[in-house]
Amino acid sequence: MTPYEPSRDPGAGPVYDVVVLAGGAARRLGGADKPGVRVGGRALLDRVLAACADAGTTVVVADPRPTARPVTWAREDPPGGGPLAALDAGLRHTTARYVLVLSADLPFLQEGTARLLLTVLRTGGADGVLLTDADGRDQPLVAAYRATSLRHELAALTKEHGALTGLPLRRLTAALDLTRVPDPVASFDCDTWDDIATARARIREHGHVLDEWISAVKDELGIDLDVDTGVLLDLARDAAHGVARPAAPLTTFLVGYAAARAGGGSEAVAEASRKAAALALRWADETDGDPAATPDGGPDTRPDAG
């Protein structure tokens, strides 16, 4: 069993939980609402939440706000008490043996990164596994930890200092045995408006824009569905070339509608796509060798037309 799969032991509880720290002052952004800043049409917080959607419990330490999926809200006392106080407040709502600890400003965090952190943690003996950035610096807010290790060290710091308010995060990480995984992309965080601009530019690059757009649309429409976009693109191409250019968007819309009527799910989309693609190819076959055919949707100028 991998740490991101549901446990088959009814008494084991969820395999991992998540604590997202989203209550910082964002001074380098002029006090802007950083978790709500949009990159690729999605709030930074929602992008982070999408990377850990299979967690047992997801706790966001901040004042409540609308999010793309349900979360548990927590707040350190007093608010603004710093990352250790926030982590302690969030950890109180978790029960799993492993905990992902994330900041809310990671535009390129992916589900695969979360899985990697958890896998390395589970198979090793360290207290935690964290990413390092392009300069080799530790990123303790892109990390997976053993919950028992976190609770033990937070309790020790509380006993030593009387409270966690104002203590830097390094006071915790210095006491833990940590494994480091280099990842300059997933560890990229948005502290400044230049960082935001860099993130917005990157997701519009050719190799990223389609996946980013599909993810944004699914979030906006409340759709949690993984489909083979290659199949849909092939269908759109066949409809455009074999029938008429406007047939491409209309056909893919009808495929989605048919899949929904069939109960939804990726298999329903695949089956509806298969049928529509076969129809488009049959349609195109009928016009092969007919110079008067107009699959591009132009006017039919034959004498007997219409």
Side-chain angles (χ1 to χ4, degrees):
M1 182 187 70
T2 58
Y4 47 88
E5 293 175 341
S7 171
R8 293 179 175 83
D9 179 359
V15 177
Y16 85 97
D17 292 333
V18 181
V19 175
V20 181
L21 305 189
R27 293 183 180 87
R28 296 173 69 185
L29 288 176
D33 175 26
K34 182 161 66 170
V37 172
R38 293 185 177 273
V39 173
R42 292 190 290 163
L44 282 170
L45 176 57
D46 283 335
R47 297 178 71 89
V48 172
L49 295 177
C52 50
D54 57 348
T57 297
T58 299
V59 184
V60 179
V61 185
D63 293 330
R65 65 173 63 233
T67 52
R69 66 183 186 85
V71 301
T72 298
W73 296 98
R75 202 67 167 111
E76 71 274 25
D77 185 17
L84 286 191
L87 175 57
D88 182 64
L91 200 61
R92 295 175 186 274
H93 296 270
T94 67
T95 57
R97 69 185 72 177
Y98 306 120
V99 179
L100 277 180
V101 178
L102 306 170
S103 61
D105 60 350
L106 303 167
F108 306 129
L109 185 67
Q110 299 290 331
E111 183 180 358
T113 305
R115 290 180 174 180
L116 174 63
L117 289 169
L118 290 161
T119 298
V120 175
L121 179 62
R122 180 183 66 86
T123 56
D127 296 316
V129 179
L130 53 75
L131 296 189
T132 56
D133 65 14
D135 296 319
R137 293 172 299 196
D138 288 353
Q139 298 297 315
L141 297 184
V142 199
Y145 299 95
R146 299 184 191 276
T148 54
S149 299
L150 288 181
R151 291 191 173 96
H152 179 270
E153 295 303 331
L154 287 171
L157 287 169
T158 301
K159 182 177 180 181
E160 179 182 355
H161 297 278
L164 296 172
T165 301
L167 294 180
L169 196 57
R170 63 177 178 273
R171 298 297 293 270
L172 171 68
T173 56
L176 298 174
D177 176 23
L178 299 173
T179 297
R180 291 160 175 84
V181 176
D183 192 330
V185 176
S187 63
F188 181 89
D189 57 1
C190 293
D191 290 327
T192 68
W193 287 113
D194 284 345
D195 294 336
I196 297 292
T198 297
R200 287 172 171 170
R202 184 181 186 275
I203 66 168
R204 285 169 172 76
E205 293 172 358
H206 178 71
H208 306 283
V209 66
L210 184 58
D211 287 341
E212 290 287 349
W213 170 248
I214 295 299
S215 295
V217 171
K218 290 197 295 185
D219 269 6
E220 190 71 17
L221 300 181
I223 298 172
D224 184 15
L225 175 67
D226 290 326
V227 297
D228 188 339
T229 55
V231 169
L232 292 176
L233 289 174
D234 287 346
L235 167 61
R237 180 203 60 206
D238 292 342
H241 291 175
V243 183
R245 282 191 295 270
L250 294 173
T251 303
T252 52
F253 164 79
L254 292 172
V255 162
Y257 183 74
R261 292 193 63 185
S266 57
E267 292 183 2
V269 174
E271 177 63 14
S273 298
R274 184 192 63 77
K275 290 180 178 179
L279 175 61
L281 292 176
R282 293 199 304 271
W283 187 288
D285 285 343
E286 292 181 10
T287 63
D288 283 351
D290 181 359
T294 56
D296 64 350
D300 189 342
T301 58
R302 291 173 293 174
D304 61 345

